[in-house]
Amino acid sequence: MTGVEASRFAVRASVEQVEEGLAFAPKFDSAGLIPVIVMAAGGGDVLMLGQMNADALERTLATGEMHYFSRSRQALWRKGQTSGLVQELVELRVDDDQDALIATVVVAGNGASCHVGYHYCFYRKLVLDARDAVGERPMQLAFTEAEKVFDPVAVYGDLPNPTQL
């Protein structure tokens, strides 16, 4: 782990320990990542889905600020490092087999968490129509947020967009 002392995570020794024990023994996937659903404190909105490697998780626990591993940039990053929209960790939950996390956070500034400028990354929904299921028309999305919370160009300038095609 880069820049981090010995891990505070327990070794996964048994199913009983992982599912019923009190030791935090997160399971990272073959790429060394664990998914984390990020929710707003108070309202419960799902802000984003991120990925953490062991270093990001350790730094989050050490600083109280959310750190992630960016798959598109292949780098560790602290949320809000550029935008100022820092996510302060309030609570971290782990699922039954410890291979997924839910983080409850308070977001600094205007409360937005999406690099596109919306409040949360899930700003569109799939329009469910029976015609889609039989292939009569292409599947469509609809916006769930009427407007952006901030202007991404004003915040990020000419930094490369992390979205990959």
Side-chain angles (χ1 to χ4, degrees):
M1 287 178 283
T2 308
V4 177
E5 307 267 330
S7 174
R8 294 184 283 166
F9 309 143
V11 174
R12 297 172 65 88
S14 70
V15 171
E16 293 78 17
Q17 173 238 6
V18 169
E19 293 182 345
E20 301 286 339
L22 298 179
F24 183 43
K27 182 176 183 182
F28 298 91
D29 68 14
S30 61
L33 301 173
I34 189 169
V36 57
I37 299 166
V38 184
M39 297 174 51
D45 285 341
V46 175
L47 300 173
M48 61 180 274
L49 171 67
Q51 300 287 331
M52 291 179 152
N53 62 7
D55 195 15
L57 183 52
E58 288 276 8
R59 287 174 190 255
T60 295
L61 297 173
T63 66
E65 295 178 348
M66 296 300 293
H67 289 71
Y68 301 97
F69 183 80
S70 170
R71 293 177 297 169
S72 59
R73 290 175 260 179
Q74 289 293 296
L76 182 75
W77 59 285
R78 180 179 63 90
K79 180 69 174 159
Q81 184 172 326
T82 303
S83 67
L85 304 172
V86 174
Q87 294 176 342
E88 180 185 335
L89 180 64
V90 174
E91 180 179 73
L92 190 65
R93 292 185 181 212
V94 62
D95 74 336
D96 53 1
D97 58 351
Q98 300 197 41
D99 67 353
L101 305 170
I102 297 176
T104 304
V105 302
V106 172
V107 184
N110 57 25
S113 284
C114 180
H115 78 276
V116 178
Y118 291 100
H119 172 64
Y120 49 80
C121 295
F122 298 94
Y123 54 87
R124 293 174 293 179
K125 66 179 179 179
L126 187 63
V127 176
L128 300 176
D129 187 312
R131 293 174 293 173
D132 297 335
V134 293
E136 290 182 18
R137 67 182 191 123
M139 299 184 85
Q140 299 290 310
L141 298 174
F143 281 84
T144 58
E145 289 190 56
E147 58 188 54
K148 294 183 178 186
V149 176
F150 69 93
D151 176 9
V153 175
V155 171
Y156 297 109
D158 61 354
L159 289 174
N161 189 317
T163 301
Q164 304 270 317
L165 299 181

